Amino acid sequence: MIFTAENILLIGSILLFVSIVVGKTGYRFGVPALLLFLMVGMAFGSDGLGLQFHNAQEAQFIGMVALSIILFSGGMDTKISEIRPILWPGIVLSTAGVLLTALFTGLFIWWLSGMSWTNIHFPLITSLLLAATMSSTDSASVFAILRSQKINLRHNLRPMLELESGSNDPMAYMLTIVLIQFIQSSGMETAHILGSFIVQFIVGAGAGYLLGKLAILILNRINIDNQALYPILLLAFVFFTFSLTDLLKGNGYLAVYIAGMMVGNAKIMYRKEIYTFMDGLTWLFQIIMFLCLGLLVNPHEMLEVACVALLIGVFMILIGRPLSVFLCLLPFGKKITLKSRLFISWVGLRGAVPIIFATYPVVANVPGSDAIFNIVFFITIVSLIIQGTTVSRAARLLGLSIPMPKTGNDFGVELPDEIDSDLKDMTVTPEILAQGDTLKDMNLPQGTLVMIVKRGDEYLIPNGSLKLHVGDKLLLISEKSKN
């Protein structure tokens, strides 16, 4: 069956429904939802139920849109106060780490290509291109797994991993584009390559910072009667930031990530509504992206390179990624423990990003591009199965897992940023009632008031003479502590 204007909504709605149901089922068994979305796409594709989707250019465009949203949303969730202590290790991993992973893996692929028993025979530059497409950790996979499994880690590892995965896509993207240009032009000058890298980073970072500031200014100054339009306005800024940065020869992926960080760490109007909208949109585009990539691949072609791809995948997981991580973190000495380095090495997840980058050689008609795409796809599945299902277990084995801190309150009530107050809840215990069973008898701190009392399924408006019961939940409002 081929997608047409008449059936695309029907097929799309079925794919989304099946993906969500399968993802919910897989979550109970610790299987990454993103892997299951990929499998659903493959099950409905040309070798499965027969849906025909073979346009790599369209998949590339869908991936570009999805990545812009995912990286912006990831940037919004990245707190500058949390990443400040690990900023330099994160930057080194997202730049030098990607370069070293591509180099080590590329050399291994080239060595493997020289073996008589293999069915791939890539020259050095093509081997490096294959490695470059999958040299970055996948932001969608890392964000989704760390958050869906509610993993909290010691030694600021969680913000470091999120910073690395959110900011290392630009390096892999630039390596991929430069190597494609190198192959097509039969060589490029070193100065030109270095200049391209510098311009992409400087323009991307600068545009992300300035346009993020502009987005904050407009969100807080513009007066729109319908508050539902604020998230849509921000979405327009996401696409504008990516497109304008790309026109200026900067890196759009880096720009949207930095712009997201600027917006997420500032006071903005209707923060709750914007976060809810962006969270839902991020999941929608993750599903769409993985479904499209699953539909794009022909599994029978992927099986032809399975043996070689498995060897390359195992090399990346056990040697390439760990070696690059340990070399990058050498300058930081004992600040980063051995167990932390081992865990960072293990969380080198591959996901949709490498597959999207693998479509660039296909669109550019690079010799061997079909084999590149199939190898990258197979390695992504291997990574999600082996690493994606064991992230939380690895954290526990290394003694790096800690309980998640409580956020928000049990009442689901939030205050706008403009109100300089904190909300928290507390449960009435027999010890509290021993001091007195009414609110006026409670020894609350100065400046703290009880807003609501929840008793079972009943909500009570408090007054000083209200009799409290054991198990009552109180919603407290207080002045923010001044640091």
Side-chain angles (χ1 to χ4, degrees), residues 408-420:
N409 56 74
D410 292 341
F411 290 78
V413 178
E414 294 184 20
L415 292 174
D417 289 343
E418 297 76 25
I419 300 178
D420 198 29

Side-chain angles (χ1 to χ4, degrees), residues 109-122 307-308 311:
I109 294 168
W110 185 45
W111 173 79
L112 206 60
S113 295
M115 297 293 165
S116 58
W117 55 269
T118 62
N119 57 352
I120 61 165
H121 302 285
F122 294 144
C307 181
V308 171
L311 287 174

Side-chain angles (χ1 to χ4, degrees), residues 45-106:
S46 56
D47 285 359
L49 296 179
L51 289 180
Q52 302 298 315
F53 179 72
H54 301 297
N55 194 317
Q57 205 157 6
E58 288 181 7
Q60 192 179 103
F61 174 75
I62 292 168
M64 181 187 71
V65 173
L67 278 180
S68 299
I69 294 169
I70 291 165
L71 287 171
F72 187 87
S73 181
M76 286 182 67
D77 289 334
T78 302
K79 302 304 175 190
I80 292 177
S81 59
E82 293 180 354
I83 67 169
R84 192 175 286 117
I86 47 82
L87 182 62
W88 287 112
I91 290 174
V92 172
L93 285 172
S94 64
T95 51
V98 172
L99 187 62
L100 289 173
T101 301
L103 179 62
F104 297 145
T105 308

